Amino acid sequence: MASNSSEENLNLSPESLKKITAARNKFKLGSDVDKDAVFDYQFLINKETVSYIQEHAKVMFLIRGPPGTGKATLSEMINVKYPKAAFCCADDYFKNSFASPTRSKNSLKLSHDYCQKKAETACANDTRIVIVQNTHMRKWEIQYYINLAACYNYTVIMAITLYRFDVTPQTLLANNTDGLDYSYLRKRLNQWEDIPPTLTGWFLCPKDASYLQYLALNSLKALIGDGMFCRVFDMYDTDEVANYFKARRLQFCLAGYATDSLEMKKHYLSNIVQYLYGKCFTIQIVGYHITLSGVSAVVQVNDIMELLMYEGKNNFSRSCDFSNFMNALGINDNPSEHGKTMAFKDESEPPETSTAVLEEWKEDEGISACKCSFIHLAQKSDDICDVGILKKVIQTSLLEAADDKSQIPDASFIELDNGSKVCRIKQNEWLVKAPMKVNVKTIFTGLYV
């Protein structure tokens, strides 16, 4: 496995990055390898990522893996990087004086109740970084924390020790220090469930999400100067704009998405995704796509980001509606939490922001129609957004607006009062070129339900 103890991947070409990730192998459990080489996660080794999480992000680390795979070591490493984090572990229940060291079915239940209560208290107190460490072999064992993250709007980073080792019951037995026997370890290993996210993407922290909503609202207000926009939306006053759409609480730029769970798992477990998982990326918002049903920010994609983008083969057939897909899995609560909307904040001054940097457009610089993704910012209804369909709509619209099917020229736009430029793609669809490009820091991870 190639170690990345420096900032090397920040300056790699896509070709070099492909070679590095293709060469990554699992370690032998119990081998004499430095822990920094084994757990070379971006959120531990990448200085920009560590700084961003320490200062700005709202993250829940979920550490999981079979007994004897280094969860305590990984937890300690994360705690060192993020000393202000709340740490929650069921084993800590047995270290307290009020608990019996003897483990039984009842005491194990009490230990997990203790861990869950501690995690919920941390979230309720708005602790920005929460670390949860347990074996969590099956999805139902970790579901409580996934639900908690959704409820309190945390970005989840799964820190999985199993993926770093070549694990068998025999190697687990050889490295176990808790007196667990072969039969138990084999049973637990057979219980392991991969938990791929429903999608991967670049997730914004709450303050940056609020600032982006402010910028989008300003562009919507400027559209009041477009007569066709006024007639279609039946709005003639800028104050009405803030009440027409509802802003989405959770904001992320889409990277990978598939309605087929096996396709999504393959994308999630690919070397390139695992290598860059949990890393801080700066994304660039160049404009806004507006329809009667919603507002999305258009994000320009660089070469490294493009390697992380994935589209399932069957995402856009009638039978693969996202909501139906979620319901078929029995998932109802989390999508409603992740899909929550709130009133636009119609503020006279930008809300406090931490990472957004505005950048001037270069002369004759346009929006690339083929190298882009999006952030769904606001919607008219309260329904769950179908990201696959929305992605297809936006991509098609941008290509229709481009003269040469790659770049959308400035000649296609009309300038509005605030410096925004607007292009009417079709009767009820607009593309706004932002007055200035917006660079915002994000975390590349998954949406877990």
Side-chain angles (χ1 to χ4, degrees), residues 248-391:
R248 290 178 61 84
R249 185 185 67 164
L250 177 68
Q251 290 185 21
F252 60 88
C253 175
L254 181 67
Y257 169 74
T259 54
D260 183 284
S261 59
L262 293 178
E263 282 187 286
M264 195 62 214
K265 180 179 175 179
K266 183 178 179 181
H267 162 66
Y268 172 62
L269 295 180
S270 65
N271 283 347
I272 186 70
V273 169
Q274 289 295 310
Y275 185 68
L276 295 177
Y277 181 87
K279 182 184 182 301
C280 176
F281 279 81
T282 298
I283 63 171
Q284 186 172 81
I285 294 111
V286 294
Y288 307 97
H289 177 265
I290 301 165
T291 67
L292 287 168
S293 60
V295 180
S296 297
V298 179
V299 177
Q300 210 71 75
V301 176
N302 63 34
D303 291 340
I304 299 299
M305 291 175 68
E306 197 169 20
L307 293 178
L308 295 168
M309 297 184 72
Y310 176 79
E311 181 179 302
K313 296 176 182 177
N314 302 311
N315 281 345
F316 308 113
S317 67
R318 183 179 294 274
S319 63
C320 288
D321 174 77
F322 183 67
S323 299
N324 290 338
F325 167 64
M326 303 296 273
N327 290 332
L329 294 179
I331 299 167
N332 298 304
D333 293 339
N334 274 346
S336 64
E337 286 290 341
H338 291 308
K340 275 189 173 179
T341 57
M342 55 191 180
F344 259 113
K345 296 178 181 178
D346 192 4
E347 305 182 43
S348 57
E349 296 293 331
E352 180 184 354
T353 185
S354 300
T355 76
V357 176
L358 302 181
E359 180 184 339
E360 296 278 359
W361 288 92
K362 297 175 184 177
E363 188 176 354
D364 298 326
E365 184 180 10
I367 296 174
S368 172
C370 54
K371 293 190 67 171
C372 67
S373 186
F374 69 94
I375 302 170
H376 191 46
L377 297 176
Q379 60 193 56
K380 178 63 176 172
S381 68
D382 293 324
D383 295 335
I384 298 169
C385 167
D386 189 322
V387 292
I389 291 176
L390 184 57
K391 177 182 179 180

Side-chain angles (χ1 to χ4, degrees), residues 10 158 235 314 345 385 397 412:
L10 293 179
M158 289 272 189
M235 289 188 295
N314 302 311
K345 296 178 181 178
C385 167
S397 296
S412 302

